[in-house]
Each structure stands twice: as C-alpha cells, then as structure tokens.
C-alpha cells in the first residue's frame, strides 16, 4: 500500500510524562485521514513531531516511503508537509499575496515581485476553487476566507500533505460546508490531508479513515464507513458517551435578567449592540445563537460590567446594574464563565487553588482583615476540584499546567459554587472534548433545574440546540428572532444567523437558500 | 532536579562561572587573578571595617531593589527609583535639620517624610499610567531629572547658596555607636534593620495579604483581574506608591545614616538604577532581593580594594564586576541548560 506519511511507533516524552506512547499513524496517498482524540490526548504533540517542532524520543518517520529526520519546520516544508493552523498566522494589514509570500518573498532586482506572485496565487486559487482575491486585505475578508488564505499558503509552498488543525472551530455552518467541498477538491487533485479534530460529525462526513488516540496511546485506526459516531466517541473517551442531552421540560418562572434597548460600542467606538432587548427567566436556559462578531462579546461584557453601556438598561432581580462595576454585579448574583478562559477566566501564573477564590478572596473565610487564610482557600479549592472532576496533580499546581478542559471545569466549578442567580456561559465548551462537553452541559442544566437563570452564548449550533430551552438569534447587535429549539433546525438557524429574515413558510426550500447565504 | 534545587544551584553556578571568566580577563591583561580576587575578598570581608562598609553599601540597595521588585510584581517598570530616592534623601535630611525633637519622634518622622516624598514622586506616574495610559517608563525617567534638579535648588536655597546642607540633628540620625565600635568606626548604621524589616513587610504583603493577591493578579493578568472585580487602576497607583515609599526610604538610608546631610549632586547616585539589576538578580522576590543586594553591594564596595591591593586598574575592575553580574543575570541560560541536561538523562 502506498503511504505518503508513516509515523511508526513515535514516542515523545516531556520529563517523565509520556505524551506519545509508541503511536503509529499511516496516511495513504489521496485520503483524508482524521486524527481523533480528547484534549491532551497527544494529537498536537504528534503533529508537532511531524512538523519538526519536536524531536521524537523514539520511532521512525517515513515520507513517501523514505525514512526522514525532520529537524525543523523548514525540513517539513521541503518534504511537502504544510500546516493550516487553528489560529491563523496572518498579518491583518497585509494583502492576501503579501501574507502568502511572507518569509519567502520572490525578488526581482532587489524588490519584491508581488505581481508575479499574485498571478500564481490566483492560478492556484482557481485550480482548487478557493475564490480568493490575491489583492484583498486580510482585515477585509471573512474568517472562512482567511482560512482559505492559510490553505493557499501551504499550496503555494508546494505542500502535498496538508495538516488541518481543528479547521472548523471558528466557522459558520455554511462556511464549514464550503470547507468540506474544498477538502474534497484537494483530494481530487492528488493531495493528502490529515484532519485533527474532535468533532465526530465532521469525521463521518469527510474523512476516509480515522486514527483514534487516547492518553498518548494509539487506540485504533478504522475505516470511517465501517464505524459510527458512538463507537468513535467511546474509543476516544474510553467509556460510553451519552450524546443526546438528557433534560426534562423547563419550568421557567419570573425574569431574572431584563435588558432593555441596550446600546454598546466596541473599542473602536462602533456600535455593536444596537437597542437590544432580551429577558432570561429563572429556570430556563436561554441560548444565543449567532455568527462570531455580531455583538455577543459586547453584550456579555456590558452585562458583567466589563464594558460601558451607552444607553439602555440592564436589570437583575429588579436591581438596576447598568454601568455598575464588575464586583457590584458579581455580588448581586451574576456568575460568568468567560469565553476566553486564558484572558479573563484565570490567572495562569497562580495555582489552580488560588484561582478558585478569584472573586471571593476578600471575604471570610478566605481572608480576614486583609490577611489571606490559605488553609480555607485550599480547602475550598480541593472541594471544587473533587466535585467538578478537575484533573490536576494537586490544588497547588499552576493553572497554566492544566489542560484546557480541566481549566474550564475549574472555572465552571468556581462560578457555580458562588451560587449565582444568573449564570452566563460564553462558549463554555470551546475546544473541549466530548467527555468534558457532556459534563459541562449537565452542570448547566442542573443550574436551570435549581431555578437559576442561565444565559448560554455559543457559536456551536449543536450546543445551542441541544442545551437551550429558548434560542435567541443575534444578528448585527439585535435579537432578530426567538425560537423553540424543538421546532427549528440548523438550516433555519443558519439563515437567521446570516441575517436573512425568514418567511414563515414551511414550503421554502431551505437547502437552496443555504448556499446563497454563505456567499 | 526539583525547582527549589535549581533556584539555588543556578545562581551559585552563575557566580562561579562569572568569577572564572573574570579571572581569564585578568590573566589576559597581565594581572594575577588570584591576587585580584584575594584583594576583592579582603575588600569585602577582610577586616571588621570592610565588613561594616559592605553592609553599609548593601543597605540602600536592599530598599532600592525591593522598590523595583515590588512594582514589577504588578507589571510596572519603575525606573524612577533613582528620583524617588533623591527626594526621599532630601526630605529626610530636611526634617533632620529643621526640627529639633526627641529621637523617638524625630527619627520616625524623618523616615516617614522620606517615604512620603518618594511615594508622592511615584504617585504621579502611577496616576498617569492608571487613568490615562501614559507609559510609566517614560514618566519615571523624566521625573528622575526633575527630582535631581529640584532638590539641588532646594538644597542651595536651604543652605544659603552653599553646596551642602548642615548636618542633621543626632535625634534624627541612624548612626549606631555600637556598630561603629565593632566595625572599627565604619559608617555602618541602624538602617540595615529598617531595610531587613522592609524585606519582611514586603514579603508579607505579597504572600499573605489580599492586597498582595490583587497586586500580583493585576501584574499577571489585567483582564482577569478586572473580570474578578478588582480595581485595576487603584492597584496600579497603590503599587507605585508603595514602591516609591521604599525608594524614598533608600534615600533616607543615605541621608540619615551614611552621610547625615545632603549635598548638591552633579549627577544621579546610581543606587536607584542599580536597584533594577538587584531586583532582576533576585528574580523580583523579596528574599531574592536580599541575595541580589548582598552580591551587588559587596562587589561594588569590595572592588574598591582591587586597584590599591592588587594594582588592577579601576576600569578593569568595573569590567570584571560587570561580567560577574552579567552571568548571574543571565542565569536563565543555565536553567535551560540544566533542564536539557537532566531531561536527556531521564530519557536514557
């Protein structure tokens, strides 16, 4: 059999920790090979070994049958291995062409020959149906388009083995569909793809084969047509996973949060939330669905006091909290799982224990007359760690050292333990694996069942649809519709999210419109 | 290797390596390194007088290093320690000269004045940084010049045009007859107690109080601190004020201890700037500052013995001292090497 990439018994250790324990990954020419595993399972380590960022402690790498030693990313490039990173590595103020040639600029008489490069990029783009304008500025194009620039970058450098690292994390449903088309096109043109993901749906849809790794060990390689999401999930997590979110009917009571005519500007002074109205009731989970950048971030920051409200009113339990400082709002009963756990949620250089009292350290029993009581702080931390299954060596471990899922479980534990009346969960499961997602969804529903109000903001449609009791669609700073998750589907939501007001007509062929909406 | 072990082994290794390179330079330049280092050693610990003077040099370094380290923990780079020290020096001497009070009131008052003067000098850049986003590095540097020239003018004004003030009253002095006696009349003074007390207090604030928890949180991650409901702006100002107070106290060590007066200066004392190096040597921790100040202060003082005792020119002495400090400061290179070394061993 023709393998383009063979990673045989790759072993990589960090100190005494075995990140890759004799993993074997064999990618055939012209296939999409998915690499599936939980966070911290060793996917990134394995790919970094392939890309030359890490040196393996054991094992062999063969590219197109030849044994190679990949000492740095340049060697990987020369071997035709290209990586499409999850976080795009693009210069905002540069054009597409300038970004692509960055680092290997073609010169002519000492000046950069942009024109020739642009021609070539255009040609490649047309070849693969990428539809990228070589002269567009990165800051002017959509996230989906930026990703295609990343793909172009690898193709321009002659890659024929492409690694996609969590490529759909920041895309809309329509953009995901397009990406899948592009990947299929790449295969047709003879490229091979390694797809790193933990989204089972994508694997089922696009991959030919899948290699599952768990806790640093290669578990199994399967043909996608011979398997199903349930099997993959249990292989990945090591136990059976419940997919459908198990919940009873919501019993909403009175409003906990009322937002009236809210206007909020972003850092550049542009209105992002435009006379928005919203209510969240006790005993319900209200999900906000929307494409990133439609005012979600500004809305959350305004509610939690992190951003100034221009006009309008926010009421919590009948108390006006508009433009009050964060501590006031926190003390009045708002819990907040922030969307960026590293920026807002944690002090990474503090121990996980100290992070567990981030909003309460100044209160008894954690401190008294300004003196910290470490005994009580760490006792509380221990409590949260046990209760919320935060996997860490101890409560004294730096928050930085924990995996994303465990950091998130810690934050969620901290917020819920403060017993807030309103829990704001902003993309609570971003980047987490199915096991952690299942756990977090359960906790959110538990809050609801305890009569708390939960506001869930997510870019994952599945999540919004599975967990919410009502779905509010946000577009351009306004709630344009509120839907019952049981009476809607992805297509309808996708269209609303793209700003198309839906004609309430059951006969409308939604599929066709989806294609247009993505343009 | 455990973390704690690395933290001890690395600086020790760095000092040894610095000494070796310094020796090579001496040898190349035609001087006997053994004689040179012997002179250095004697200059620091050779007799009770030198020990006393070494301690005297270390004292203001402790406070200046502490000032830099404290601000640094809140993510602020206080380059204005020099200026804050100068105003603190002046304020302490002014109280010491103008008032005549019982010692139990006079000395604390003079120290307090120094701390307040330094605090005010740091308050300005703190407020500008917190509320207007003005870079504290630029402002503190400029405030250094203002401090230097304003105090010079005040000194002349106070002493009718002469270049130096009168001596402070004995009731405001940190002088210690006990220390003078045991160190062969060196200028070692009671300020060392104040400096060590300050080390303890700062350690306590940073490690044990909610204030320290907040200040460090702000230093590590402003956004998360804001999210947690801390008043980031207030914390920045508080951090600068405490840092400035420490710097002012460093000035008081010179004014009330070493000299007992303040003279017109043609340039900076350098103690404030060296405080940055002391802080870096000590990894910005209070206990580390004790190590940094001891190394810096003793080398600085002891080196003075090398030209006379070993005939090594002053310029070369400066180079050697700088190299030793350079190696210690770049200690993280050793850390990296150590880690790599120990990792390789583990794998095998």
């Amino acid at each position: 059999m023709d393998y383009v990439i063979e990673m045989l018994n790759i072993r990589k250790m960090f100190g005494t920790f075995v990140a890759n324990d004799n993993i074997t990954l064999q990618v055939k020419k012209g296939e999409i090979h998915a690499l599936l595993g939980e966070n911290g399972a060793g996917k990134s380590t394995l790919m970094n070994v392939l890309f030359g960022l890490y040196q393996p402690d054991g094992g062999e790498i063969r590219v197109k049958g030849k044994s190679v030693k990949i000492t740095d990313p340049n060697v990987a490039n020369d071997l035709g291995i290209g990586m499409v990173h999850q976080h795009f590595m693009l210069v905002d103020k540069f054009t597409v062409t300038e970004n692509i040639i960055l680092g290997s600029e073609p010169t002519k008489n000492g000046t950069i020959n942009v024109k020739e490069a642009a021609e070539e990029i255009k040609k490649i783009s047309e070849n693969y149906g990428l539809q990228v304008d070589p002269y567009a500025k990165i800051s002017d194009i959509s996230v989906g388009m930026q990703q295609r620039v990343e793909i172009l970058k690898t193709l321009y450098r002659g890659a024929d083995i492409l690694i996609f690292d969590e490529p759909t994390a920041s895309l809309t449903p329509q953009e995901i569909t397009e990406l899948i088309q592009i990947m299929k096109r790449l295969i047709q043109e003879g490229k091979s793809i390694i797809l790193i993901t933990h989204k089972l749906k994508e694997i089922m849809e696009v991959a030919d084969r899948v290699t599952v790794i768990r806790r640093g060990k290669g578990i199994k390689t399967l043909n996608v047509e011979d398997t199903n999401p349930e099997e993959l999930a249990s292989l990945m997590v090591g136990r059976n996973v419940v997919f459908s979110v198990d919940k009873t009917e919501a019993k909403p009571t009175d409003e906990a949060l009322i937002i009236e005519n809210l206007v909020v500007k972003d850092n550049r002074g542009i209105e992002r939330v435009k006379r928005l109205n919203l209510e969240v009731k006790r005993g319900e989970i209200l999900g906000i669905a929307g494409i990133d950048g439609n005012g979600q971030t500004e809305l959350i920051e305004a509610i939690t006091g992190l951003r100034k409200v221009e006009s309008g009113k926010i009421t919590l339990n009948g108390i006006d909290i508009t433009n009050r400082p964060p501590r006031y709002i926190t003390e009045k009963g708002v819990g907040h799982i922030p969307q960026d756990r590293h920026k807002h949620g944690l002090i990474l250089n503090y121990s996980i224990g100290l992070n567990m009292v981030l909003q309460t350290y100044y209160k008894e029993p954690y401190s008294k007359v300004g003196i910290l009581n470490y005994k009580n702080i760490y006792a509380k931390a221990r409590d949260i760690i046990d209760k919320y299954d935060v996997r860490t060596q101890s409560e004294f471990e730096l928050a930085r050292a924990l995996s994303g899922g465990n950091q998130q479980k810690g934050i969620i534990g901290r917020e819920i333990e403060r017993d807030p009346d309103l829990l704001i969960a902003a993309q609570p499961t971003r980047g987490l694996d199915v096991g952690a997602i299942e756990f977090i969804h359960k906790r959110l529903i538990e809050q609801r069942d305890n009569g708390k109000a939960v506001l869930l903001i997510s870019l994952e449609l599945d999540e919004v649809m599975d967990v919410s009791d009502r779905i509010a669609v946000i577009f351009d700073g306004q709630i344009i519709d509120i839907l019952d998750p049981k009476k809607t589907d992805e297509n309808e939501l996708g269209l609303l999210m793209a700003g198309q007001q839906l004609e309430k007509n059951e006969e409308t062929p939604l599929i066709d419109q989806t294609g247009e909406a993505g343009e | 290797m455990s973390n704690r072990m690395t933290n001890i082994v690395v600086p020790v290794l760095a000092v040894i390596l610095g000494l070796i390179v310094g020796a090579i330079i001496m040898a190349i330049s035609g001087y006997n390194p053994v004689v040179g280092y012997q002179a250095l050693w004697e200059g620091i610990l050779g007799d009770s007088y030198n020990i006393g003077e070494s301690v005297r040099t270390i004292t203001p370094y402790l406070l200046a290093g502490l000032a830099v380290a404290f601000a640094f923990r809140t993510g602020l780079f206080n380059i204005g320690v020099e200026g804050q020290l100068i105003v603190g020096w002046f304020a302490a001497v002014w109280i010491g000269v103008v008032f005549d009070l019982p010692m139990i009131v006079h000395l604390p008052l003079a120290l307090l004045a120094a701390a307040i003067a330094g605090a005010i000098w740091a308050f300005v850049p703190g407020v500008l940084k917190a509320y207007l986003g003005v870079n504290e590095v630029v402002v503190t540097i400029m405030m250094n010049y203002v401090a230097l020239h304003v105090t010079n003018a005040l000194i002349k004004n106070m002493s009718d045009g002469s270049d130096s003030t009168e001596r402070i009253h004995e009731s405001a002095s940190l002088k210690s007859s006990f220390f003078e006696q045991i160190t062969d009349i060196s200028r070692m003074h009671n300020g060392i107690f104040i400096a060590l007390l300050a080390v303890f207090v700062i350690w306590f604030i940073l490690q044990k109080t909610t204030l320290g928890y907040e200040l460090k949180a702000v230093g590590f991650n402003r956004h998360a601190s804001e999210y947690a409901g801390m008043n980031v702006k207030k914390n920045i100002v508080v951090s600068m004020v405490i840092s400035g107070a420490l710097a002012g106290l460093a000035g008081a060590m010179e004014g009330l201890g070493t000299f007992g007066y303040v003279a017109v200066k043609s340039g900076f004392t350098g103690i404030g700037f060296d405080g940055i190096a002391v802080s870096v040597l000590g990894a910005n921790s209070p206990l580390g500052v004790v190590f940094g100040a001891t190394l810096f202060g003793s080398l600085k003082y002891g080196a003075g013995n090398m030209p006379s005792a070993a005939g090594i020119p002053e310029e070369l002495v400066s180079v050697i001292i700088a190299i030793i400090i350079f190696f210690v400061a770049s200690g993280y290179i050793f850390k990296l090497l150590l880690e790599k070394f120990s990792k390789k061993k583990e794998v095998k």
Side-chain angles (χ1 to χ4, degrees):
Chain A
M1 184 41 81
D2 247 10
Y3 290 117
V4 278
I5 297 273
E6 287 174 278
M7 299 182 79
L8 305 171
N9 294 316
I10 296 297
R11 188 174 179 81
K12 177 69 194 170
M13 306 191 28
F14 297 103
T16 53
F17 176 70
V18 186
N20 284 168
D21 190 356
N22 298 336
I23 297 184
T24 292
L25 173 74
Q26 291 173 306
V27 182
K28 291 179 193 165
K29 186 170 162 50
E31 75 165 346
I32 300 182
H33 193 112
L35 186 59
L36 176 69
E38 290 189 287
N39 283 24
K43 293 177 305 219
S44 308
T45 308
L46 189 67
M47 285 304 107
N48 284 335
V49 167
L50 180 59
F51 206 55
L53 291 166
Y54 293 152
Q55 295 310 309
D57 297 313
E60 187 188 2
I61 302 175
R62 286 191 206 154
V63 176
K64 290 161 202 158
K66 257 187 247 148
S67 181
V68 291
K69 225 173 151 54
I70 303 173
T71 45
D72 67 70
N74 290 328
V75 178
N77 274 331
D78 293 342
L79 289 166
I81 301 169
M83 185 129 165
V84 178
H85 294 276
Q86 180 181 3
H87 302 286
F88 306 149
M89 316 254 174
L90 298 169
V91 183
D92 260 7
K93 293 202 159 48
F94 277 12
T95 66
V96 167
T97 305
E98 285 167 335
N99 265 290
I100 289 175
I101 60 178
L102 198 63
S104 58
E105 302 86 355
T107 52
K108 194 174 170 183
N109 308 328
T111 57
I112 298 177
N113 193 347
V114 176
K115 212 174 146 212
E116 205 168 276
E119 289 291 315
E120 174 154 8
I121 288 162
K122 194 150 185 258
K123 217 173 75 197
I124 302 173
S125 164
E126 277 166 7
N127 255 345
Y128 294 93
L130 296 175
Q131 296 168 7
V132 174
D133 172 8
Y135 291 106
K137 243 189 197 171
I138 295 298
S139 52
D140 296 338
I141 61 178
S142 71
V143 175
M145 197 63 91
Q146 289 179 14
Q147 186 173 53
R148 290 188 216 166
V149 176
E150 285 282 356
I151 298 171
L152 260 177
K153 203 153 80 178
T154 61
L155 295 174
Y156 178 80
R157 296 187 180 179
D160 43 24
I161 302 145
L162 282 79
I163 306 168
F164 282 81
D165 185 9
E166 302 281 354
T168 58
S170 48
L171 302 184
T172 65
Q174 281 78 17
E175 282 174 329
I176 291 174
T177 315
E178 285 168 26
L179 175 67
I180 287 173
Q181 294 306 322
I182 290 168
M183 287 169 75
K184 288 185 172 158
R185 181 78 180 260
L186 286 165
I187 296 303
Q188 277 168 18
E189 301 288 331
K191 309 282 180 193
S192 311
I193 292 176
I194 301 175
L195 172 68
I196 307 171
T197 186
H198 49 242
K199 290 188 190 162
L200 304 165
K201 225 171 94 189
E202 283 162 17
I203 293 178
M204 297 309 297
E205 203 170 335
V206 71
D208 301 306
R209 294 197 306 148
V210 52
T211 295
V212 185
I213 59 177
R214 182 170 79 224
R215 293 191 187 169
K217 288 195 171 70
I219 299 298
K220 207 170 183 182
T221 300
L222 311 102
N223 287 321
V224 169
E225 47 189 32
D226 302 336
T227 183
N228 54 56
E230 286 74 20
E231 186 189 5
L232 288 178
S234 57
L235 282 175
M236 166 163 81
V237 183
R239 62 180 165 84
N240 282 325
V241 178
V242 186
F243 267 105
S244 56
V245 180
D246 205 14
K247 61 171 185 179
T248 54
E249 199 64 26
K251 298 180 198 70
T253 54
D254 53 330
E255 289 86 10
L257 177 77
I258 303 173
I259 301 171
E260 295 161 278
N261 291 320
L262 189 72
V263 177
V264 189
K265 288 180 177 170
D266 68 8
N267 291 340
R268 290 179 294 173
I270 298 162
E271 267 187 25
R272 287 305 187 150
V273 176
K274 302 171 180 170
R275 299 187 68 79
L276 179 140
N277 290 289
L278 190 67
E279 286 163 6
V280 188
K281 297 193 180 83
R282 265 175 250 284
E284 74 162 356
I285 299 177
L286 179 83
I288 293 187
I291 297 167
D292 201 10
N294 274 286
Q296 295 99 317
T297 309
E298 288 76 12
L299 172 64
I300 305 165
E301 289 180 349
I303 300 172
T304 50
L306 293 169
R307 185 173 288 278
K308 201 178 141 241
V309 172
E310 299 297 324
S311 66
K313 195 175 169 192
I314 305 169
T315 321
L316 177 78
N317 292 336
I319 305 164
D320 186 354
I321 56 164
T322 321
N323 277 333
R324 301 306 298 258
R327 178 155 291 169
Y328 178 88
I329 293 169
T330 307
E331 288 184 341
K332 287 288 171 280
V334 173
H336 177 194
I337 301 160
Q339 60 180 351
D340 189 336
R341 55 180 164 264
H342 289 171
K343 185 175 175 191
H344 285 117
L346 293 167
I347 311 263
L348 290 173
N349 288 335
Y350 271 173
S351 67
I352 185 69
L354 283 182
N355 270 292
M356 291 300 100
V357 293
L358 204 54
Q359 295 105 329
T360 47
Y361 63 91
Y362 57 94
K363 289 189 199 162
E364 284 193 49
Y366 310 118
S367 67
K368 207 170 170 182
V369 290
I371 311 288
L372 294 169
N373 185 329
Y374 282 108
K375 208 178 118 222
N376 292 344
I377 290 173
Y378 282 115
K380 180 74 195 174
R382 193 66 252 166
D383 189 37
I384 294 177
I385 287 168
D386 291 342
K387 222 158 135 186
Y388 292 83
D389 188 33
V390 182
R391 291 187 203 151
T392 168
Q393 280 184 7
S394 77
E395 57 271 39
F396 309 110
E397 192 88 353
L398 285 191
R400 182 180 294 289
L402 271 63
S403 74
N406 287 310
Q407 290 175 342
Q408 190 73 349
K409 283 194 257 180
I411 294 174
I412 286 166
R414 178 183 75 203
E415 296 307 305
I416 292 178
E417 285 292 301
R418 288 196 293 112
D419 198 22
D421 294 325
L422 169 70
L423 180 64
I424 301 173
Q427 300 202 52
T429 59
R430 173 149 85 174
L432 304 188
D433 53 71
V434 281
I437 291 174
E438 186 190 10
F439 178 88
I440 287 165
H441 287 167
K442 267 191 193 152
R443 293 285 97 74
L444 293 180
I445 291 162
E446 210 171 84
Q447 282 298 292
R448 179 201 78 168
D449 292 344
N450 290 338
K452 313 286 185 186
V454 179
L455 178 62
L456 169 72
I457 295 97
S458 178
L459 301 176
E460 305 278 350
L461 271 188
D462 288 347
E463 174 163 88
V464 176
M465 294 190 31
D466 288 350
V467 180
S468 314
D469 300 311
R470 290 194 296 151
I471 300 176
V473 181
I474 192 168
F475 176 75
D476 194 23
Q478 290 185 317
I479 302 296
I480 56 169
D481 209 344
I482 293 190
L483 305 161
D484 181 340
K486 288 196 278 307
K487 293 182 188 143
T488 186
D489 54 37
E490 279 195 21
N491 281 318
E492 188 185 13
L493 274 173
L495 285 173
L496 283 168
M497 282 159 63
Q500 295 210 351
Q501 287 287 354
L502 207 67
E503 289 167 44
K504 299 282 180 191
N505 182 352
E506 297 294 326
E507 309 300 319
T508 316
L510 292 167
I511 309 290
D512 291 355
Q513 283 191 10
T514 315
E516 285 165 30
E519 293 297 313
Chain B
M1 195 173 297
S2 78
N3 234 344
R4 182 159 299 172
M5 269 301 281
T6 338
N7 283 343
I8 298 167
V9 169
V10 166
V12 171
L13 266 179
V15 171
I16 292 171
L17 211 69
L19 289 171
I20 292 172
V21 176
I24 293 169
I25 290 180
M26 274 190 265
I28 290 172
S29 316
Y31 300 97
N32 186 341
V34 178
V35 177
Y37 282 137
Q38 204 174 356
L40 179 63
W41 180 256
E42 273 163 15
I44 300 167
L45 295 167
D47 55 33
S48 61
Y49 176 83
N50 281 343
I51 293 173
E53 279 294 309
S54 292
V55 173
R56 196 264 310 157
T57 318
I58 290 165
T59 305
Y61 277 134
L62 279 170
L63 287 158
L66 216 48
V68 176
F70 190 78
F72 203 82
R73 294 301 282 271
T74 316
L76 298 165
F77 203 3
N78 182 7
I79 308 207
V81 170
E82 180 71 32
Q84 293 143 20
L85 180 150
I86 290 172
V87 295
W89 185 338
F90 175 79
V93 170
W94 186 76
I95 296 280
V97 171
V98 172
F99 294 91
D100 195 359
L101 298 160
M103 188 175 222
I104 194 150
V105 186
H106 202 181
L107 180 57
L109 187 68
L111 290 168
L112 187 69
I116 290 175
I120 292 171
W121 222 251
F123 175 77
V124 177
V127 166
L128 288 173
K129 165 85 177 181
Y131 293 93
L132 297 171
V134 184
N135 190 316
E136 79 277 14
V137 173
V138 176
V139 180
T140 49
I141 290 176
M142 291 304 131
M143 292 286 284
N144 285 342
Y145 289 99
V146 179
L148 178 66
H149 297 295
V150 166
T151 49
N152 278 349
L154 289 172
I155 293 162
K156 284 196 170 165
N157 199 8
M158 194 178 150
S159 50
D160 300 321
S162 135
D163 278 346
S164 160
T165 64
E166 296 167 40
R167 292 196 69 85
I168 53 169
H169 288 104
E170 282 302 308
S171 55
S173 173
L174 283 168
K175 268 200 164 126
S176 155
S177 49
F178 172 71
F179 281 146
E180 281 181 359
Q181 224 170 21
I182 62 164
T183 63
D184 202 11
I185 322 189
S186 80
R187 290 174 294 170
M188 182 177 172
H189 53 81
N190 285 326
I192 187 69
F193 296 126
I194 292 167
L196 291 175
L197 181 70
V199 170
F200 174 75
V201 169
I202 294 302
W203 169 83
F204 188 82
I205 290 177
L206 284 174
Q207 292 307 318
K208 300 286 176 192
T209 67
T210 53
L211 175 66
Y213 181 86
E214 283 194 19
L215 291 172
K216 284 186 293 180
V218 170
F220 284 136
N221 185 344
R222 244 188 109 136
H223 300 289
S225 308
E226 215 178 333
Y227 155 87
M230 299 171 190
N231 188 335
V232 171
K233 291 174 177 156
K234 190 191 88 188
N235 277 310
I236 287 175
V237 177
V238 167
S239 174
M240 278 305 277
V241 163
I242 293 177
S243 171
L246 291 166
L249 280 177
M253 297 302 107
E254 299 297 84
L256 306 178
T258 309
F259 295 98
Y261 61 89
V262 58
V264 169
K265 295 177 195 63
S266 57
F268 292 123
T269 66
I271 298 169
F273 297 125
D274 290 345
I276 298 168
V278 168
S279 173
V280 172
L281 287 177
N284 305 310
S285 85
L287 292 174
V289 163
V290 176
F291 161 77
T294 307
L295 181 75
F296 215 98
S298 45
L299 283 180
K300 196 114 183 167
Y301 174 75
N305 193 39
M306 287 169 80
S308 53
I312 300 169
E314 236 167 281
E315 291 81 1
L316 193 60
V317 170
S318 298
V319 170
I320 292 160
I321 299 303
I323 280 172
I324 296 172
I325 287 162
F326 167 82
F327 270 94
V328 178
S330 49
Y332 82 99
I333 296 174
F334 296 96
K335 217 170 183 170
L336 249 143
L337 286 174
L338 264 179
E339 267 164 25
K340 225 171 184 172
F341 183 67
S342 54
K343 209 188 322 183
K344 268 195 185 139
K345 257 188 8 200
E346 271 168 46
V347 174
K348 279 170 190 168

